[in-house]
Amino acid sequence: ITAARASLLARVFDAYAPLVAEADAGDLIERTGWLAVYEKRDPLTGEAFEFEMRRRFGVEMTMLSGDEAREMEPALGPIASSAVYYPRNGRTVNPLRLTQVFARHFVRSGGVLLRETARAISIGGDGRPRVVTDAGEHAADRLVLAAGVWSKSIAGGLGSRIPLEAERGYHTMMPDPGVTVRRPLAFADRGVAIAPMEHGLRVSGIAEFAHADAAPDYRHADRVLGNACDLIPGLKTDGATRWMGCRPATPDSLPVIGRSPRHSAVLFAFGHGHLGLTFAAVTGQLIAEMAAGRPTSVDISPFRAD
């Protein structure tokens, strides 16, 4: 599983580079690395297996004391006893705006966006797939199913039973946090992540297994925010807003990428869990290669629906 995920991770920046350049989205990407912070234990003791796997697959990391971590991030409070710095990681400062910039580039390049609700995929008598929406049907030579957690029911209609569930996450955005955070922080002991965005500070966490359409339980977001306030003294929450989203999670943490086992004109691209944005560009690259009948640049056999 780790080897398969690493084969995608190794191509993340190369896959994004042409999209970022063509869409003129360079201001939305930063390579600041990220900092994993620990409170009560030596990370090598509690996560020895994880660190060994990262080293095996070439992940660069630096062990830091609590004081060294505070030199990098002065906003950290005294509760931080040690940290691990991952210098090669990158991020976007606004995932929504990045998506909007890409969408505008798609339209400028001749693409068409249809704002309809997809209900199912049907296969016509001519063998061509059709998207059934609330506004009618759209036939295509090839069709990509990339509907996140809602892909499960649509794939099921094509005869593919995919173990996909909503792993819901919560975040709180603070427009004026009152502290400066220079790079993403992860507080391993509490499962809390903090990321500086162009429009404020984002605090996120939680893995809640619930129906995708169930009402949000914002007590989870409040608990995450309370932990963040313990870790970063002086954090201001005035004007904060909360959000919940559904990660499309598979039991083995591998996405579903490849052709429908029963209908070769339908391509599956979903189930990326916590790494949807991370794997988006490389997944698009692989889907494009398959659609064009070319060999894929990554072995996709671990990601087959069957």
Side-chain angles (χ1 to χ4, degrees):
I1 291 170
T2 303
R5 285 163 60 97
S7 71
L8 299 180
L9 284 166
R11 301 184 64 85
V12 165
F13 291 112
D14 288 342
Y16 261 113
L19 297 176
V20 171
E22 292 166 12
D24 194 23
D27 63 316
L28 286 161
I29 304 295
E30 292 184 352
R31 299 289 295 270
T32 57
W34 69 282
L35 199 63
V37 180
Y38 298 84
E39 298 171 56
K40 304 172 183 176
R41 57 185 170 87
D42 180 351
L44 289 176
T45 301
E47 298 185 2
F49 175 75
E50 288 87 343
F51 283 115
E52 173 56 30
M53 294 298 284
R54 288 170 189 155
R55 288 193 181 97
R56 187 183 306 177
F57 288 94
V59 176
E60 185 179 337
M61 59 187 113
T62 303
M63 303 294 174
L64 303 174
S65 67
D67 288 339
E68 289 171 329
R70 278 181 285 274
E71 286 180 15
M72 293 184 68
E73 293 292 342
L76 285 173
I79 199 171
S81 63
S82 62
V84 181
Y85 177 49
Y86 298 88
R88 292 169 54 189
N89 287 68
R91 70 191 188 97
T92 177
V93 297
N94 189 332
L96 174 59
R97 190 159 75 85
L98 181 67
T99 305
Q100 293 168 335
V101 168
F102 284 161
R104 287 195 292 270
H105 173 62
F106 171 72
V107 172
R108 286 196 304 269
S109 302
V112 177
L113 293 177
L114 301 177
R115 296 183 179 276
E116 301 173 15
T117 300
R119 304 294 189 195
I121 294 173
S122 66
I123 306 299
D126 57 0
R128 298 179 74 202
R130 288 170 167 77
V131 184
V132 181
T133 78
D134 58 348
E137 292 190 5
H138 303 282
D141 294 321
R142 295 174 190 80
L143 190 151
V144 180
L145 174 59
V149 71
W150 294 275
S151 301
K152 179 178 182 176
S153 61
I154 298 176
L158 295 173
S160 290
R161 186 171 178 267
I162 308 294
L164 187 71
E165 299 297 339
E167 185 194 339
R168 309 197 317 175
Y170 291 79
H171 80 227
T172 300
M173 277 296 304
M174 286 157 285
D176 182 21
V179 296
T180 298
V181 176
R182 300 167 180 169
R183 59 183 56 77
L185 309 174
F187 294 98
D189 302 281
R190 306 194 189 201
V192 174
I194 297 177
M197 315 295 282
E198 66 176 5
H199 51 302
L201 194 67
R202 177 169 293 176
V203 175
S204 61
I206 297 295
E208 177 199 35
F209 290 91
H211 193 279
D213 296 322
D217 183 351
Y218 283 119
R219 291 176 299 178
H220 295 313
D222 294 340
R223 189 168 87 240
V224 171
L225 182 58
N227 281 321
C229 291
D230 290 343
L231 297 158
I232 298 187
L235 194 59
K236 292 169 56 178
T237 62
D238 298 343
T241 57
R242 301 177 297 186
W243 179 88
M244 182 277 293
C246 297
R247 308 179 187 97
T250 60
D252 60 5
S253 299
L254 293 179
V256 181
I257 305 172
R259 296 187 185 277
S260 160
R262 296 193 180 188
H263 306 284
S264 62
V266 179
L267 302 169
F268 289 166
F270 55 82
H272 294 72
H274 289 245
L275 296 175
L277 182 65
T278 304
F279 284 155
V282 67
T283 298
Q285 187 179 64
L286 294 170
I287 291 293
E289 290 166 348
M290 282 185 280
R294 299 195 302 268
T296 56
S297 50
V298 172
D299 175 15
I300 61 168
S301 57
F303 314 113
R304 289 177 1 208
D306 57 352

